[in-house]
Amino acid sequence: MAVAAVHSGGIADHIHPEPQGFIRKYVFSIDHKIIGIQYMITAGIFMLLAGALAEMIRAQLMRANGGFMTPDTFNTVFTMHGSTMVWLVIIPLLTGGFGNLVMPVQIGARDVAFPWLNMIAFWIFPVSGLMLYSSFLMGAPAAGWTEYPPMSLQGAPGTSMWCAAIFLVGVGSTMTGMNFLVTILKMRAPGMTFTRMPLFVWGQFVTAPLLMIATTALGAALAALFVQREFGVPFFDPTKGGSPLLWQHMFWFYSHPAVYIMILPAFGMISEIFPTFGRKPIFGYKMIAFSSCAIAILGFMVWAHHMFTSGMAPQLQLPFMVLTMLIAIPTGVKIFSWMATLWGGVLTFSTAMLYSVGFLALFTLGGITGVFLAAVPFDLHAHGTYFIVAHFHYVIAGGSLMGALAGLYFWFPKMTGRMLNETWGKWSFWLYFIGMNGTFLPMHWLGLWGMPRRIAVYDPQFQTWNQIESVFSLVMTAGIILTFVNVLVSMKRGKKSGHNPWDARTLEWQIPSPMPYYNFKHIPSVFATPYDFAEPLPYRGLEEELTDSPPPVPAAH
Amino acid sequence: MRLDRGFWTATAVLTVLALIVIFWWVYAPITAIMPEAVDKAAQIDALYRFLAASGSALFVYVVGYIVYFCVAFRRRSSHAADAIGVQIHDSHKLEFWWTLFPFLFVVGLAIISVRIFYGIEPINMPSNSLVVEGLGHQWYYTFRYPGINGEVKQLHLPLNQQVTLHVSSYDVIHSFWVPDMRLKVDMVPGLVNTLTFTPTRTGRYNIVCTEFCGTLHGDMRSGTPNDKAYLFIDTPAQYKSWYDSQQKANANASNEIAVASSSSINLTGGDVAAGKAMFQTKCSACHAVAPFEQKIVGPGLKGVLHDPSHPNLVDGEKATPEDVAKILQNGFSGPLGVMPNQTANGISDKDIANLVAYLNSLK
Amino acid sequence: MAVASVTQAGIVGRHHEEPDQLYVETRELRVQGFLLFMVSDLVLFSSFIFAYLYLRNTGQGWPPPGAPKLDLALAAINSVILFGSGATMHFALENWKHEKFMKFAGWMVSTIVLGAMFLSGQIVEYGKLAVGWGSSGIFGAGFFTLTGMHGFHVFCGIIYLTILLLQAAQGKYTFQKYTGLTLGTLYWHFVDVIWVVLFSIFYLI
Ligand code: HEA
Ligand code: HEA
Ligand code: CUA
Ligand SMILES: [Cu+2]
């Protein structure tokens, strides 16, 4: 059935010449693997910044009447923490970073569809990050990462810079989304049908349209806020006929799908990790792939659940409530399928596996509190409190970030050819896991008990729990720092990993580590899903990849 | 593929744990920590108990099985290096059930939530309630009462009297939250949002702003030094005496809320059609185009300027376009209730001219 | 035959060349990528259209007080010009497919000229409205933002088509390989379709 790597002379065989010189190789590279690593490094640096800001939040909240910084500084701090973590850490890491590094190889391609676009999209990202941080020079934005007007209309000049910077990151994301979509639709190796794609590719495939569509909608909202601030065009100003609620609609129409941008690739990662370390096929392949699509589609229809207290018409709230609750069903299908994948496996608890299991537990908790919030009457009490902060840190810090860390421990050998230190890795996991729960679990009851979010000072009865949180946040930070150190040390000193240290079955593990610039000497053909551990590998045409045979000749331009 | 003894033991243990958390949430002494100050709080607490009980039971099962699987199926030293797990790919029966159960749960939850929702949302405005207006400022609250001039700093409400609270804001978005009421609503400039409830427990309660509103957002709550607002639920007698004292104290206060530009408005060139359209979006929630007596929140406005039986407006002055404009600009709080001012209503000077022209055209 | 028309156009280099596999596949990628670009552009317009309709239907009645009267006649003429340019663009591509370079060039030039006429019409209309973007209230927030964005797309389109025409004249495209021209046509039709929507929401409803 499957044709053995036919020499088509088409795009699949089009090979860029090996990049020469430092600049073309590591700076303005058009090689998807290098670009992926560039994304990861940049996002890692921003993660340190945003994490430092988080620790500043926790320092301020050590005492009921604050005192670590002024309320105005505090407001810029949590605004920048939220904005950075969402737009400059998690989204670039999961899409641009891991997506670029792994996805094209997993589908058996030599690069993404538009390598130049890929490079441009990447370079927009650090530039806009610098722009965002340069807003500190002119008065940083201080109205929260959601920047609700009219508050954001009063904000310092840096708020306009915030608009411009986030707009630019968005342009980069949109490009990445288009690029990935075309890549996955058009550049799969022969025999790689949709039902044979690795689930990480499915994750990226479903995320790409979200990146494209939702991010463009955000771009419109940001442009409108920008011209309102700079030219007085009254989109959002109630005294001139505009509507503050319009912004909320426009913003959440992006930002709800954005939360799935932050989680679907992570779902994909752990769908790769569980089978690999359980020596067992993923349970319910089709349902996992299909439920991702359901989540993405439903994700566009629920944005107003962030606005239940804002004065939207009551009759409108009900459909949003019910649709939001429905998302629990496809997500539940995934959770249960992963649990069933664990059942009956031979589980090896490497660091990547630990992070994935942690993901499963913590994301479930965050997801369940999400369903609580979807119930309008409960949200009337919980909205705008620390309960919300607890919900989303469980799904983001417990879900997305843990997924990313699992992915890092899993694919690091593929990036560098060296192993991360597993002992340190396990320490980092336990520190992170314990610190994470200690930091964010008490926020649930603090919120219900009466503590609003985004406050620099609070009532004294909340102080003990806040101190506990702050201490645990240091534990969590220690875990992250340990991972950073581990990466820096192992890059140079790590044990050599060989091409497939985990004995994994997707295509990227069948070629040398680090991956050569041409990925495959011959494009393989595929004849089954990669998850049948009892069967031989479902690929043909890979015989020469690990041999010394000469690399393919670049196409003449 | 058979489930072994260990699985059923784990299931039994988890079931016990789940029952414990369910019982805990059903009987948890929530009101000992946070009293229920109004009628609707009990409904929300009931929903919360249901959510918390089912949510934590679900969590116990999910995490319990994860932990059990991780222990039971860990790689042991007895495993060969190339040992593999059970090679199953899926089970349609299992998948069917674990799609159906969450679905049924969600349907049930939706039904419960919708029913409570209709018990809470002010969809039908009650007719005989006390109408009070709450206004957000950076960074404090004020309230306006029918019959009390000006704005007062504290919210007093009589026990067992139905209340309709209209809220809005002068500057940015704030929010009105009384944790002990379990109710919250945003105060959005240009928009009047409404809460209805009946206080059921006397006492003093905190009011908290939960919508980020700038530098001192964290200070916008009861309990901060500079005489911040509390909600007091009084016995009717206490309420009466408080009300009378405020009425006296504020006797000379202006009902017209100070706004930045109190300059009189140029009424020439008002456009009747534009005024009509504006009236339908901004005013008709509270005013009918009907005789004075037909009250929604405010009086009916048909013929305000041409009604011989109602020569003076509620502010006691003669019904002239200028005086109507003044009420629209500054708001008014009289015996009938509270009429928001220009900023709270979100209308421009030009709109006022149009509205007055429209009202003038109603004969 | 192809060779004949090339010499007729006096242009060297547009020799007959059968599209190879690489070209065919690359064309698919480019067309698909371009379609996705237009999807996201469409989302951008839709967001602002949503914003406009939202402002129109909440808050005050419509038109808001002080909104300038729009000149339907002028806009209608202008629309006809723009739709006409859509037709000329279509003819241009058809002629290219039939390997008639001179006719292609003629239709391209007319498209560009019509586009420029549309833009001038727009500028005349802005002039007649005589209000600024910031001071024209929510009417202007919708009208100037959306028509301005559309005008910018037309402007970019004019430059884009000019570049395509020059490239075609230099022999960058052959009569078999002309993906760039197809994309240009797609873009121009897209800008046309957007205008249909804008025209209806501003002038008709
Ligand atoms: C990765 C990010 C992420 C993810 C995945 C989610 C997932 C979900 N979120 Fe969350 N959310 C955020 C990030 C995220 N959220 C952020 C950042 C905010 C705050 C923004 C701000 O204001 O600053 C927020 C706020 C937020 C609100 C608004 C609260 C408010 O401000 O008043 C709501 C309300 O409905 C909500 C709901 C949900 C729901 C229902 C899900 C669902 O997708 C969850 C589904 C998962 C499960 C349910 C668990 C697994 C399922 C099972 C085990 C099956 C059985 C379960 C049941 C039948 C219940 N979220
Ligand atoms: C997107 C992902 C994301 C992630 C991963 C995190 C991670 C963390 N967040 Fe995050 N947070 C948000 C997104 C995220 N947050 C958002 C969107 C908001 C809302 C903002 C708003 O209201 O507008 C928010 C708000 C928020 C608040 C509430 C602020 C308020 O409402 O007043 C708090 C309070 O504790 C908090 C704490 C933390 C902590 C302790 C972590 C920890 O996980 C961080 C762990 C630490 C690191 C990842 C870095 C480790 C390294 C160092 C600290 C060393 C630094 C030193 C050097 C430079 C060398 N966050
Ligand atoms: Cu007022 Cu926050
Ligand atoms: Cu959401």
Side-chain angles (χ1 to χ4, degrees):
Chain A
M1 178 194 67
V3 258
V6 194
H7 239 268
S8 63
I11 192 103
D13 285 314
H14 187 74
I15 299 170
H16 307 296
E18 183 169 18
Q20 301 296 333
F22 185 78
I23 302 258
R24 289 302 307 277
K25 218 169 179 166
Y26 297 115
V27 185
F28 295 110
S29 168
I30 56 167
D31 179 349
H32 68 97
K33 302 171 288 290
I34 302 292
I35 293 179
I37 293 173
Q38 286 176 321
Y39 267 108
M40 291 188 195
I41 293 172
T42 320
I45 293 170
F46 282 121
M47 174 144 74
L48 289 178
L49 280 173
L53 291 171
E55 294 311 321
M56 286 168 71
I57 299 177
R58 292 312 328 162
Q60 168 81 359
L61 296 179
M62 274 298 276
R63 263 170 294 139
N65 29 22
F68 183 75
M69 49 191 154
T70 66
D72 277 326
T73 318
F74 179 80
N75 295 342
T76 66
V77 165
F78 72 73
T79 303
M80 292 298 266
H81 162 71
S83 309
T84 313
M85 278 291 193
V86 170
W87 283 299
L88 303 181
V89 180
I90 302 289
I91 294 181
L93 196 58
L94 291 181
T95 59
F98 286 101
N100 263 315
L101 180 77
V102 184
M103 182 273 288
V105 197
Q106 282 193 333
I107 62 171
R110 289 221 161 94
D111 206 328
V112 292
F114 308 110
W116 280 87
L117 193 69
N118 207 13
M119 178 188 83
I120 296 167
F122 166 73
W123 276 104
I124 289 177
F125 161 47
V127 170
S128 47
L130 287 181
M131 275 173 68
L132 183 62
Y133 275 81
S134 75
S135 68
F136 271 115
L137 301 178
M138 48 179 101
W145 79 291
T146 52
E147 293 290 339
Y148 280 8
M151 194 55 234
S152 54
L153 303 181
Q154 292 183 355
T159 312
S160 298
M161 196 54 138
W162 176 89
C163 291
I166 305 298
F167 184 91
L168 270 188
V169 197
V171 172
S173 289
T174 309
M175 289 176 177
T176 306
M178 296 191 306
N179 210 343
F180 282 11
L181 207 52
V182 178
T183 308
I184 298 174
L185 283 173
K186 288 282 167 195
M187 299 183 56
R188 280 164 291 134
M192 173 77 71
T193 59
F194 273 97
T195 48
R196 291 177 193 161
M197 289 193 318
L199 284 164
F200 180 71
V201 177
W202 265 104
Q204 294 291 337
F205 180 57
V206 182
T207 311
L210 297 184
L211 270 178
M212 239 182 66
I213 296 172
T215 312
T216 315
L218 176 71
L222 292 167
L225 185 61
F226 185 85
V227 298
Q228 156 96 64
R229 285 177 51 88
E230 296 301 318
F231 308 113
V233 183
F235 282 101
F236 307 120
D237 183 350
T239 60
K240 297 204 188 102
S243 162
L245 292 195
L246 172 61
W247 166 264
Q248 300 184 14
H249 282 295
M250 293 176 87
F251 182 83
W252 290 117
F253 184 77
Y254 159 80
S255 276
H256 187 80
V259 310
Y260 296 120
I261 296 176
M262 292 191 272
I263 204 70
L264 288 170
F267 285 167
M269 290 183 188
I270 68 164
S271 303
E272 299 297 332
I273 293 173
F274 283 143
T276 304
F277 292 102
R279 314 311 298 158
K280 193 171 169 274
I282 188 88
F283 191 94
Y285 173 93
K286 284 193 181 147
M287 287 301 270
I288 291 186
F290 171 76
S291 60
S292 292
C293 305
I295 292 173
I297 293 167
L298 281 172
F300 274 110
M301 303 194 274
V302 302
W303 74 91
H305 65 214
H306 296 272
M307 302 167 60
F308 285 151
T309 65
S310 70
M312 212 179 30
Q315 291 78 356
L316 269 180
Q317 299 183 3
L318 292 178
F320 281 112
M321 166 169 102
V322 176
L323 285 167
T324 305
M325 288 174 177
L326 285 181
I327 296 186
I329 299 165
T331 319
V333 168
K334 281 175 183 296
I335 301 273
F336 299 135
S337 299
W338 289 322
M339 287 166 66
T341 307
L342 292 179
W343 184 86
V346 180
L347 309 175
T348 310
F349 288 96
S350 67
T351 310
M353 182 68 170
L354 282 176
Y355 273 112
S356 305
V357 173
F359 172 105
L360 206 53
L362 299 188
F363 177 79
T364 302
L365 180 52
I368 290 174
T369 56
V371 175
F372 287 22
L373 294 172
V376 181
F378 177 72
D379 190 57
L380 292 186
H381 182 61
H383 174 78
T385 68
Y386 259 86
F387 191 88
I388 311 292
V389 180
H391 156 67
F392 71 74
H393 282 94
Y394 263 89
V395 281
I396 296 183
S400 317
L401 190 51
M402 271 192 136
L405 289 167
L408 179 71
Y409 278 91
F410 187 57
W411 277 301
F412 188 82
K414 197 76 298 197
M415 290 193 260
T416 59
R418 291 176 188 274
M419 305 290 285
L420 283 171
N421 184 319
E422 281 287 307
T423 316
W424 292 7
K426 284 174 189 162
W427 271 95
S428 85
F429 166 76
W430 286 109
L431 288 171
Y432 186 88
F433 185 81
I434 293 166
M436 148 89 214
N437 284 296
T439 311
F440 297 116
L441 196 66
M443 290 184 183
H444 289 105
W445 49 87
L446 279 179
L448 296 182
W449 193 16
M451 181 165 167
R453 60 193 281 205
R454 296 171 170 172
I455 51 173
V457 291
Y458 52 86
D459 285 348
Q461 74 264 29
F462 305 135
Q463 183 167 297
T464 316
W465 285 111
N466 270 290
Q467 287 174 339
I468 292 173
E469 288 170 6
S470 295
V471 171
F472 273 102
S473 80
L474 291 175
V475 178
M476 178 179 189
T477 302
I480 302 238
I481 291 179
L482 194 54
T483 294
F484 272 95
V485 174
N486 198 348
V487 167
L488 290 178
V489 173
S490 302
M491 227 156 49
K492 285 259 150 44
R493 305 245 172 85
K495 197 168 84 210
K496 286 258 197 274
S497 66
H499 75 288
N500 190 359
W502 317 122
D503 202 3
R505 297 173 59 94
T506 40
L507 273 171
E508 79 274 27
W509 298 103
Q510 316 310 326
I511 60 175
S513 311
M515 299 177 263
Y517 67 92
Y518 46 81
N519 292 358
F520 301 96
K521 287 174 187 158
H522 305 290
I523 298 294
S525 57
V526 181
F527 49 89
T529 55
Y531 303 112
D532 284 297
F533 284 80
E535 309 284 328
L537 286 174
Y539 311 112
R540 262 185 226 126
L542 288 171
E543 297 76 15
E544 284 182 39
E545 300 307 325
L546 298 169
T547 64
D548 289 337
S549 67
V553 189
H557 258 303
Chain B
M1 266 222 222
R2 271 196 22 254
L3 298 169
D4 56 1
R5 276 251 313 281
F7 180 84
W8 295 115
T9 317
T11 307
V13 171
L14 294 179
T15 307
V16 172
L17 280 177
L19 286 174
I20 292 174
V21 294
I22 290 176
F23 272 100
W24 159 253
W25 282 116
V26 171
Y27 295 106
I30 299 178
T31 48
I33 305 163
M34 294 178 74
E36 292 167 347
V38 299
D39 55 346
K40 289 174 177 173
Q43 287 171 287
I44 293 179
D45 276 354
L47 177 66
Y48 174 65
R49 281 176 201 275
F50 174 76
L51 284 167
S54 50
S56 16
L58 182 74
F59 183 68
V60 164
Y61 275 115
V62 171
V63 173
Y65 280 126
I66 293 175
V67 171
Y68 168 69
F69 293 163
C70 284
V71 175
F73 299 108
R74 70 188 186 280
R75 179 183 281 277
R76 295 159 206 257
S77 44
S78 57
H79 277 119
D82 59 354
I84 58 173
V86 190
Q87 299 294 305
I88 41 171
H89 291 84
D90 48 13
S91 148
H92 293 305
K93 217 163 84 189
L94 215 54
E95 282 166 338
F96 172 78
W97 286 110
W98 73 42
T99 312
L100 186 70
F101 266 124
F103 180 75
L104 293 179
F105 177 80
V106 161
V107 169
L109 177 60
I111 291 172
I112 296 174
S113 308
V114 169
R115 290 185 54 177
I116 294 181
F117 178 83
Y118 278 107
I120 285 174
E121 285 291 320
I123 291 173
N124 304 309
M125 294 282 184
S127 53
N128 57 345
S129 61
L130 169 65
V131 181
V132 183
E133 194 185 24
L135 290 160
H137 309 250
Q138 280 172 321
W139 292 275
Y140 59 97
Y141 296 98
T142 58
F143 303 93
R144 296 202 289 159
Y145 280 78
I148 298 180
N149 288 345
E151 299 173 40
V152 298
K153 293 257 178 189
Q154 304 293 341
L155 179 60
H156 282 253
L157 297 174
L159 195 63
N160 293 333
Q161 154 75 54
Q162 168 130 64
V163 178
T164 301
L165 179 71
H166 296 293
V167 302
S168 192
S169 163
Y170 277 91
D171 31 51
V172 300
I173 302 178
H174 300 275
S175 137
F176 177 91
W177 182 35
V178 177
D180 294 322
M181 280 178 20
R182 315 282 196 274
L183 289 177
K184 157 185 315 131
V185 66
D186 287 1
M187 306 172 127
V188 186
L191 206 68
V192 178
N193 286 339
T194 306
L195 280 181
T196 59
F197 53 88
T198 306
T200 53
R201 185 179 180 280
T202 56
R204 195 187 78 169
Y205 304 98
N206 288 342
I207 305 174
V208 184
C209 175
T210 60
E211 215 55 72
F212 181 74
C213 54
T215 311
L216 294 185
H217 162 64
D219 273 317
M220 193 162 162
R221 62 189 151 96
S222 307
T224 44
N226 25 350
D227 77 324
K228 294 294 165 61
Y230 283 95
L231 161 65
F232 294 89
I233 297 180
D234 299 336
T235 61
Q238 284 170 332
Y239 175 75
K240 178 98 180 53
S241 74
W242 173 82
Y243 182 87
D244 291 342
S245 70
Q246 290 297 312
Q247 210 170 22
K248 246 189 242 114
N250 281 20
N252 296 322
S254 165
N255 262 329
E256 294 157 4
I257 309 145
V259 280
S261 68
S262 51
S263 66
S264 76
I265 287 172
N266 180 6
L267 289 179
T268 51
D271 176 359
V272 176
K276 179 171 184 188
M278 173 70 99
F279 188 86
Q280 273 151 6
T281 54
K282 290 277 175 172
C283 321
S284 56
C286 300
H287 293 287
V289 184
F292 182 76
E293 293 73 27
Q294 280 197 27
K295 185 177 158 206
I296 303 178
V297 177
L301 291 181
K302 185 159 181 204
V304 255
L305 287 160
H306 307 280
D307 186 356
S309 67
H310 178 55
N312 290 345
L313 294 187
V314 283
D315 62 354
E317 299 198 22
K318 210 141 173 47
T320 59
E322 286 70 32
D323 189 46
V324 170
K326 210 173 82 187
I327 292 179
L328 293 192
Q329 185 181 16
N330 297 332
F332 190 79
S333 129
L336 295 174
V338 180
M339 154 92 186
N341 71 8
Q342 178 180 9
T343 328
N345 256 332
I347 51 178
S348 66
D349 289 0
K350 186 82 192 132
D351 297 333
I352 291 183
N354 295 337
L355 280 167
V356 172
Y358 169 62
L359 290 177
N360 204 357
S361 73
L362 299 171
K363 301 240 158 84
Chain C
M1 184 185 68
V3 181
S5 59
V6 168
T7 31
Q8 181 195 337
I11 286 155
V12 279
R14 199 180 300 111
H15 53 90
H16 192 97
E17 191 187 344
E18 273 309 325
D20 50 284
Q21 180 78 7
L22 178 65
Y23 179 78
V24 171
E25 287 181 22
T26 315
R27 175 170 63 199
E28 265 182 53
L29 294 190
R30 289 176 63 196
V31 170
Q32 202 158 53
F34 199 81
L35 285 175
L36 290 178
F37 158 72
M38 290 199 310
V39 167
S40 68
D41 211 16
L42 183 69
V43 173
L44 192 67
F45 274 106
S46 315
S47 304
F48 277 107
I49 291 171
F50 167 80
Y52 166 73
L53 293 177
Y54 184 92
L55 289 178
R56 193 173 157 144
N57 289 313
T58 45
Q60 8 192 319
W62 201 263
K69 276 263 163 302
L70 291 175
D71 188 341
L72 180 60
L74 178 59
I77 296 172
N78 224 3
S79 310
V80 171
I81 293 178
L82 192 64
F83 300 147
S85 81
T88 54
M89 188 68 219
H90 175 76
F91 294 142
L93 191 68
E94 284 303 306
N95 276 298
W96 183 272
K97 288 186 191 158
H98 291 97
E99 315 198 349
K100 297 185 183 122
F101 178 80
M102 285 319 282
K103 281 194 170 171
F104 158 80
W107 286 121
M108 278 299 264
V109 171
S110 10
T111 310
I112 292 168
V113 169
L114 286 174
M117 279 169 68
F118 172 83
L119 269 191
S120 333
Q122 191 100 57
I123 291 168
V124 171
E125 176 161 30
Y126 280 12
K128 283 173 69 174
L129 292 176
V131 280
W133 191 17
S135 55
S136 54
I138 57 175
F139 167 80
F143 181 78
F144 289 117
T145 311
L146 274 165
T147 55
M149 256 167 66
H150 178 263
F152 181 69
H153 275 74
V154 175
F155 179 74
C156 293
I158 291 174
I159 295 176
Y160 183 18
L161 294 188
T162 314
I163 293 174
L164 287 180
L165 181 59
L166 292 179
Q167 285 181 336
Q170 283 170 359
K172 176 142 191 277
Y173 306 104
T174 71
F175 291 129
Q176 283 72 35
K177 293 182 170 188
Y178 52 87
T179 316
L181 301 181
T182 317
L183 299 186
T185 315
L186 272 176
Y187 177 84
W188 196 256
H189 289 324
F190 170 76
V191 174
D192 259 11
V193 171
I194 295 287
W195 181 253
V196 178
V197 180
L198 296 191
F199 183 73
S200 355
I201 61 172
F202 288 120
Y203 297 92
L204 301 183
I205 60 170

